[in-house]
Amino acid sequence: MTQVLKAATTAGVVALLMSSSAYAVTLQMHNGGDPGSIDPHKVSGDWENRVVGDYLEGLVTEDPEAAPIPGQAESWEISDDGLVYTFHLRDGIQWTDGTPVTADDFVFAFQRLMDPATASEYAYLQYPIKNAEAINSGEITDFSQLGVKAVDEKTVEITLEAPTPFFLDALTHYTAYPVPKHLIEEVGDAWTDMDNIVANGPYKIVEWLPGSYVRSEKNADYYDAENVQIDEVFYHVLEDQTAALNRYRAGEFDILTDLPSDQYQWLQDNLPGEAHVEPFLGVYYYVLNQEKPPLDDVRIREALSISVLRDVIGPDVLGTGELPAYGWVPPGTGNYVENAYDPEWATLPYEDRVARAVELMTEAGYGPDNPLNLQLRYNTNDNHQRIAVAIAAMWEPLGVNVELFNSETAVHYDALRAGDFQVGRAGWLLDYNDPSNTLDLLKTGISQGDGTNWGNNYGRYSNEEFDALMDQAATEQDLVARGEILADAEEIAMDEFAAIPIYWYVSKNVVKPYIEGFVDNAKDIHRTRWLTKSE
């Protein structure tokens, strides 16, 4: 039920230091959860993205501010109608086994991503590509109809369903990374085994000890290797934030990718400038399993949502100032209308909201004499626990008894995907700066074989009008009109309490003063190639 993460033993720390002695510069990064995979078509979390985005690189990659810049492609052209992107690969790019990276690797990768047999959770992020959704759903079985073609060995042509203003940004996502066609054809999914794995990015993975760390070394054959300053990276697994902070203070970690919120003020007072707490595009939320009673009842979902006093979560429960969230699309998201969703109930006095919630629960047949028993699941984390305890207390006056259940990150998200939960904690960080990236989370699942693939729509929310608006927006070329359509879709979903948004994220990193090149940005993506360590 509960994952217990042990801090490294003294012997383990010594072993890490000894293993690093041959390298000029080693970065010790606290990475949080244990990667479930390092295959870009099978990963799903930011803790995996930090590893995968260092050893693989797409046509387009990120600069220090997480903006799109040329990656494996040195240049590209976009047709006048916005439908065809032509990418020109750099000279001399190769996999770490010496095999050239070619246009066929990208064609193969996109086809593998959309293959229903791959079951990639995030394949839909590349649905702007022509026939991508039809292939991923099984409607089209001829993969050659996917709008990704190799014009020649060094030219990739991508054709879209409709002009997509965020497409270059979407190509920075790991779903758009190439995979080694020659290796996968030989060993299949075992290509990511340590005996087989290759890389085309600034680093190559050389060791993976599940439950402990992933270790990468600088890729000397990377086209920009001369400007990569970190020689070796340890991505440490540790979900106990207090233990992680203690190891940071002891000098064992150079970077923390999260921090115990109750220690934020201590960090401000004692390590000024090292805690980086900045707004970025993401929403922290609870999903409600609507596939079965009792949460298929909109009255119960409404009662649970309106009784959450979001205003106290950021400043009081966490202490790091997160802003309350009532809608689904983070403020500042591009290609959108300003303040798209602002429900009237959010401005009511909290006492009135609780009274309304009690009425709704009574109508649904629940109250103190007939309590509603719910299990609230969250992945093991001090901050998630604090929020869960606080919200459980907010629901108690409604006659709701909450059982808290925590598990390690991989187990938790497996349960959400399987629908094995009632209420579950989740979070979403935008993969590209467009409202569709969050709203797509609420689209009805795709029928595949004998079941339905709900992807990251963990709560199984389904509304035909919402889906129709999302489809309409996908082909609307006028950005203003498109933004209004998406705002209408957001209103439908939030009025039906498709999920419970709780707060807009702030990034929480702690960085040693001797680390340079760490730039706070709206995506909270910080590739190691841009960092230097002066100690």
Side-chain angles (χ1 to χ4, degrees):
M1 173 179 170
T2 303
Q3 180 191 38
V4 179
L5 290 165
K6 300 178 180 178
T9 63
T10 301
V13 174
V14 171
L16 289 183
L17 294 174
M18 290 179 64
S19 70
S20 304
S21 61
Y23 296 92
V25 184
T26 297
L27 181 70
Q28 305 285 355
M29 180 188 297
H30 157 248
N31 194 37
D34 198 6
S37 173
I38 49 176
D39 184 325
H41 297 159
K42 299 180 183 295
V43 302
S44 61
D46 57 344
W47 61 97
E48 295 161 332
N49 181 21
R50 280 187 281 270
V51 177
V52 174
D54 272 357
Y55 91 94
L56 292 175
E57 184 177 88
L59 295 164
V60 181
T61 188
E62 306 102 339
D63 70 6
E65 296 182 348
I69 59 171
Q72 295 286 283
E74 63 180 358
S75 63
W76 55 81
E77 298 93 41
I78 305 173
S79 63
D80 291 341
D81 60 7
L83 292 177
V84 181
Y85 288 63
T86 305
F87 296 89
H88 306 284
L89 300 185
R90 296 177 186 272
D91 291 333
I93 53 175
Q94 63 182 40
W95 300 102
T96 45
D97 63 0
T99 303
V101 176
T102 69
D104 281 339
D105 287 314
F106 285 94
V107 174
F108 177 81
F110 278 109
Q111 290 182 356
R112 180 177 184 258
L113 173 72
M114 294 305 163
D115 186 345
T118 304
S120 179
E121 294 289 341
Y122 286 165
Y124 69 87
L125 293 180
Q126 303 302 335
Y127 278 2
I129 297 173
K130 187 173 180 63
N131 292 328
E133 183 172 7
I135 290 172
N136 194 229
S137 67
E139 180 183 342
I140 293 177
T141 57
D142 179 3
F143 291 0
S144 69
Q145 293 189 42
L146 183 66
V148 184
K149 310 294 182 187
V151 177
D152 54 44
E153 285 194 352
K154 294 182 58 180
T155 310
V156 181
E157 182 183 89
I158 300 181
T159 303
L160 307 184
E161 292 279 359
T164 306
F166 56 84
F167 186 61
L168 286 176
D169 207 16
L171 289 181
T172 66
H173 193 261
Y174 48 76
T175 49
Y177 291 171
V179 293
K181 178 182 179 183
H182 67 287
L183 186 56
I184 295 176
E185 288 180 339
E186 179 183 349
V187 300
D189 287 348
W191 78 273
T192 54
D193 291 353
M194 290 301 98
D195 291 339
N196 300 324
I197 193 166
V198 295
N200 76 321
Y203 291 88
K204 56 184 179 181
I205 297 176
V206 295
E207 185 180 11
W208 181 12
L209 188 60
S212 186
Y213 61 82
V214 176
R215 181 169 69 88
S216 292
E217 295 176 2
K218 177 179 173 178
N219 176 9
D221 294 323
Y222 182 60
Y223 62 84
D224 194 38
E226 65 179 349
N227 292 314
V228 176
Q229 301 299 309
I230 302 291
D231 297 295
E232 179 187 45
V233 190
F234 281 89
Y235 311 86
H236 292 274
V237 176
L238 184 56
E239 296 189 68
D240 183 331
Q241 293 172 316
T242 300
L245 179 56
N246 288 339
R247 292 182 64 179
Y248 177 88
R249 293 176 60 189
E252 296 176 28
F253 291 159
D254 301 313
I255 294 175
L256 298 183
T257 56
D258 205 347
L259 61 93
S261 291
D262 63 351
Q263 295 299 304
Y264 176 61
Q265 191 59 51
W266 183 92
L267 285 163
Q268 292 288 83
D269 295 339
N270 295 277
L271 301 174
E274 295 186 34
H276 294 239
V277 176
E278 299 288 339
F280 75 115
L281 299 176
V283 58
Y284 185 107
Y285 62 100
Y286 280 179
V287 283
L288 307 169
N289 192 337
Q290 297 159 56
E291 200 167 34
K292 50 194 173 185
L295 297 174
D296 59 339
D297 189 331
V298 68
R299 295 172 298 183
I300 295 176
R301 299 199 303 272
E302 179 178 353
L304 294 177
S305 184
I306 67 176
S307 59
V308 173
L309 184 56
R310 293 158 173 84
D311 300 69
V312 305
I313 299 295
D316 299 329
V317 176
L318 295 177
T320 39
E322 289 82 353
L323 296 175
Y326 299 96
W328 198 240
V329 179
T333 301
N335 308 316
Y336 208 38
V337 298
E338 188 174 352
N339 300 322
Y341 185 76
D342 187 19
E344 291 184 7
W345 61 262
T347 62
L348 294 175
Y350 183 62
E351 295 78 8
D352 293 350
R353 284 161 49 185
V354 172
R356 172 59 180 160
V358 170
E359 290 179 6
L360 290 165
M361 294 296 293
T362 301
E363 290 177 14
Y366 295 98
D369 296 332
N370 183 35
L372 172 62
N373 298 314
L374 291 177
Q375 184 184 80
L376 168 54
R377 299 186 66 132
Y378 61 93
N379 52 303
T380 305
N381 177 291
D382 294 342
N383 294 336
H384 301 335
Q385 181 178 14
R386 291 188 188 97
I387 294 169
V389 169
I391 290 179
M394 295 172 192
W395 287 344
E396 189 174 352
L398 280 57
V400 178
N401 295 331
V402 177
E403 174 198 359
L404 301 183
F405 185 98
N406 69 301
S407 57
E408 64 180 355
T409 300
V411 173
H412 173 73
Y413 279 101
D414 283 348
L416 295 190
R417 292 187 188 97
D420 182 20
F421 74 99
Q422 290 182 298
V423 182
R425 174 268 157 191
W428 186 259
L429 314 180
L430 268 67
D431 301 296
Y432 44 84
N433 190 3
D434 189 85
S436 63
N437 191 223
T438 48
L439 291 169
D440 278 343
L441 296 174
L442 301 177
K443 291 180 69 174
T444 301
I446 298 174
S447 297
Q448 291 182 333
D450 297 330
T452 299
N453 178 8
W454 286 93
N456 296 304
N457 182 355
Y458 306 127
R460 277 66 171 164
Y461 171 73
S462 180
N463 179 291
E464 291 184 1
E465 186 179 358
F466 174 88
D467 293 340
L469 287 171
M470 293 301 295
D471 290 342
Q472 180 183 349
T475 58
E476 175 57 61
Q477 298 185 38
D478 184 312
L479 289 181
V480 174
R482 177 178 177 270
E484 292 173 350
I485 294 168
L486 291 172
D488 289 342
E490 181 184 23
E491 183 176 3
I492 288 171
M494 291 295 96
D495 282 351
E496 290 194 327
F497 300 90
I500 302 179
I502 296 173
Y503 66 75
W504 306 120
Y505 269 113
V506 292
S507 56
K508 300 176 184 177
N509 298 291
V510 189
V511 184
K512 291 288 189 182
Y514 51 74
I515 299 294
E516 297 179 356
F518 189 99
V519 179
D520 295 311
N521 60 69
K523 286 188 178 180
D524 196 27
I525 290 178
H526 313 274
R527 297 303 182 202
T528 308
R529 69 176 284 201
W530 305 115
L531 304 180
T532 60
K533 182 177 177 179
S534 58
E535 187 184 44

